[in-house]
Amino acid sequence: MTERLKTTDGLPNDVRVPGYRRDDHGAGIVHIGLGAFHRAHQAAYTDDALAAAGGDWRITGVSLRSDAPAQELGPQNGLYTLIERDASGSRARVIGALAAAHCLRTDRDAVTAALLSDATRIVTITVTEKGYGLDRASGGVDPAHPAIAHDLDKPSRPQGLAGLLVWALGQRRRLGRKPFTVLCCDNLPENGKVLRGLLVDFARRAVPDLADHIAEDVAFPSTMVDRITPAATQSTRDLAEDLTGRRDAAAIETEGFHQWVIEDHFPTGRPGWEAGGAIFTTDVRPYEEMKLRMLNGAHSMLAYAGFAAGHRYVRDVMADPALSRLVTRHLRAASATFTPLEGVDFAAYADQLAERFRNPHLAHETFQIAMDGSEKMPQRVFSAIPDARAGGGDLRAFAFATAAWLRHLSQSTHDCAPYELRDPRAGDLSDMAQGKPASAIIAAIRASALVSRQVARDDGFWDEVNPILHDMLTRPMTDVIGAEAA
């Protein structure tokens, strides 16, 4: 049997390995959400920073519930293969930035020790939108969210993100240790501001004497992240073995492109992430809006329409001429909602995104992208509608994307096989959409908290959505796409 990846010794010469001695660098970062994206993005940037500038900035990775990452990475001493794939081919590098991997559910003592360590200066986060327990209407916590509800009841033994961070910041204050910087790396607009509001609200409810400390003394820089990273499969692991000659249970594949824009506010220091290409700025918002509406918005549209049309992967969507035209239309419509951004050519960025979507090597499933739409559509699509309306832009692309999402909520099988609705609000959304005509689905969504009042009152927009959705519920999606793209 092939030897498992435990060391970089003896790897093929074309496999890039860490440019530093791992044991020379301590752990200064705790990362919560040890999934594929973190391993393809922040960990890779940190690997580059360690090689270029050194420092005690290795990462202690934490999963809140699943012990799979720890089981995969532990026997490999935290090493794993990152495979970059694009039209030029596939390249492997071994990432050494992870110092340890733990699961809160099964190894609470190790997790809390890392969070309270004097050496820990930054906590980074990728738990996806649904992991925050955010009430979008109030900007605070959602008391009905399972983890929030548990942690409000038992704040001294938290299970969720907000409860864990508030507990750790409270313990550090009690011990006389400086607070760590909290760096959200999920696709939330103004994510630093959002996370601060979430933790302050949680503290006010659970430990009121901590609320002002968190609001005034803890840094929450905002970030924008971008790297398409599909879930790993057995094919990923097989490719890693072919490229490195080692078995790797934690291998990840991703695209060659990567981007990280970060608000430069780190009172206790930070790694030299510039070495990996990170951009530091005083205002992340224009970059994150560009990415959310263009990349993520087009992704959601093509996922809902493409899945119903029988396309398993994004690359299959882009091979469909009609759907590819609709992707291009969506990118152009989204780019028209922005004011000029220094150093950014929106048309060139749109072309670059289309080429990334066409990447033949990435098996990025439309069904995976279609998950958790109630958490994604407000930022990716609905936020663009008022700006498009104010600028006199065409709303058709956003109406089509909205209709495709609502058709997905219906779980109609008139043109595809049965599927599960994977969304934190799946029960409520199914009640709104299953077996209902287009007009009833639209009325329910407009009355929900998922769209702003401004969008809900835009009769002209919903009048445009209605016939598209009606067609999607009564005709094959392939026919609807063909007519829309004609």
Side-chain angles (χ1 to χ4, degrees):
M1 180 179 290
T2 307
E3 181 183 358
R4 190 164 183 173
L5 178 65
K6 296 181 180 179
T7 175
T8 58
D9 294 342
L11 291 174
N13 291 334
D14 59 350
V15 175
R16 180 179 166 189
V17 299
Y20 55 92
R21 283 173 46 88
R22 299 175 78 213
D23 291 343
D24 291 345
H25 303 278
I29 300 172
V30 171
H31 181 81
I32 301 175
L34 190 53
F37 183 77
H38 168 69
R39 282 181 264 170
H41 196 271
Q42 296 90 30
Y45 275 90
T46 304
D47 205 58
D48 290 334
L50 288 166
D56 292 327
W57 292 114
R58 293 181 69 206
I59 301 165
T60 300
V62 174
S63 299
L64 294 177
R65 289 175 296 277
S66 173
D67 65 353
Q71 295 294 328
E72 294 166 354
L73 289 158
Q76 299 180 181
N77 299 317
L79 295 171
Y80 63 94
T81 309
L82 178 62
I83 306 167
E84 296 181 348
R85 312 190 74 188
D86 52 32
S88 66
S90 301
R91 301 167 298 281
R93 65 181 287 192
V94 173
I95 303 295
L98 283 173
H102 305 296
C103 174
L104 177 66
R105 182 177 57 82
T106 59
D107 199 0
R108 179 175 292 270
D109 288 346
V111 173
T112 57
L115 288 169
L116 301 186
S117 170
D118 273 325
T120 296
R121 289 181 277 170
I122 300 173
V123 173
T124 56
I125 304 162
T126 51
V127 295
T128 73
E129 293 92 334
K130 66 181 177 181
Y132 288 84
L134 177 68
D135 179 353
R136 295 191 183 282
S138 69
V141 299
D142 176 3
H145 186 276
I148 296 292
H150 174 277
D151 294 353
L152 288 173
D153 184 52
K154 299 178 180 178
S156 63
R157 195 170 175 82
Q159 294 180 350
L161 176 71
L164 182 63
L165 291 176
V166 168
W167 177 87
L169 289 166
Q171 291 299 305
R172 291 181 74 95
R173 187 187 192 197
R174 182 181 65 81
L175 295 168
R177 296 172 185 167
K178 292 181 179 180
F180 43 66
T181 296
V182 186
L183 189 67
C184 175
C185 301
D186 278 306
N187 285 318
L188 296 167
E190 297 185 274
N191 53 20
K193 180 179 178 181
V194 167
L195 189 52
R196 175 189 279 113
L198 183 78
L199 296 197
V200 169
D201 186 49
F202 183 94
R204 284 179 178 149
R205 295 167 183 260
V207 279
D209 61 321
L210 276 179
D212 288 345
H213 169 63
I214 293 172
E216 298 170 5
D217 302 327
V218 181
F220 293 86
S222 288
T223 69
M224 186 275 274
V225 297
D226 187 1
R227 192 169 213 186
I228 297 171
T229 306
T233 65
Q234 186 57 48
S235 295
T236 308
R237 294 181 282 275
D238 291 343
L239 179 58
E241 185 170 348
D242 289 342
L243 293 171
T244 67
R246 307 284 176 84
R247 285 186 299 116
D248 185 351
I252 296 296
E253 60 181 301
T254 188
E255 63 175 335
F257 178 91
H258 56 87
Q259 188 175 41
W260 197 6
V261 182
I262 310 169
E263 181 185 357
D264 199 359
H265 179 46
F266 293 83
T268 55
R270 61 170 176 81
W273 283 317
E274 298 96 332
I279 299 169
F280 286 90
T281 182
T282 58
D283 189 2
V284 174
R285 289 175 298 173
Y287 296 92
E288 66 188 12
E289 287 180 356
M290 177 185 73
K291 188 248 181 175
L292 281 166
R293 293 185 187 178
M294 293 184 69
L295 186 152
N296 298 124
H299 243 182
S300 288
M301 183 281 288
L302 69 83
Y304 295 121
F307 177 76
H311 297 309
R312 183 175 181 182
Y313 300 118
V314 173
R315 65 194 184 200
D316 301 330
V317 168
M318 298 306 291
D320 178 328
L323 252 179
S324 179
R325 286 196 293 274
L326 295 184
V327 170
T328 298
R329 180 184 72 172
H330 192 100
L331 291 170
R332 290 175 178 167
S335 70
T337 66
F338 305 122
T339 57
L341 180 59
E342 184 176 358
V344 175
D345 181 331
F346 293 122
Y349 181 60
D351 291 342
Q352 185 183 50
L353 288 175
E355 285 305 308
R356 291 169 64 192
F357 294 162
R358 290 190 183 95
N359 190 330
H361 298 292
L362 291 186
H364 204 177
E365 294 193 356
T366 53
F367 188 58
Q368 178 193 9
I369 300 167
M371 291 169 53
D372 308 329
S374 67
E375 302 286 337
K376 297 174 179 177
M377 290 292 288
Q379 302 98 322
R380 298 181 176 195
V381 175
F382 300 149
S383 70
I385 295 165
D387 290 333
R389 177 70 76 193
D394 186 1
L395 298 181
R396 184 72 181 188
F398 307 118
F400 183 86
T402 301
W405 175 56
L406 297 178
R407 182 259 174 269
H408 188 76
L409 299 185
S410 76
Q411 294 179 270
S412 175
T413 57
H414 73 281
D415 60 351
C416 68
Y419 57 91
E420 177 187 3
L421 181 60
R422 299 173 67 181
D423 191 286
R425 297 177 175 84
D428 291 340
L429 294 172
S430 293
D431 290 344
M432 290 180 185
Q434 276 193 344
K436 305 288 179 59
S439 58
I441 297 172
I442 289 171
I445 290 296
R446 292 179 73 175
S448 76
L450 295 176
V451 295
S452 68
R453 294 181 69 183
Q454 184 177 4
V455 173
R457 292 171 175 172
D458 191 334
D459 293 336
F461 173 73
W462 296 104
D463 286 347
E464 196 155 0
V465 173
N466 199 333
I468 304 173
L469 178 58
H470 173 77
D471 284 350
M472 290 180 176
L473 293 172
T474 57
R475 300 169 57 197
M477 181 63 88
T478 51
D479 291 352
V480 178
I481 290 168
E484 187 72 14

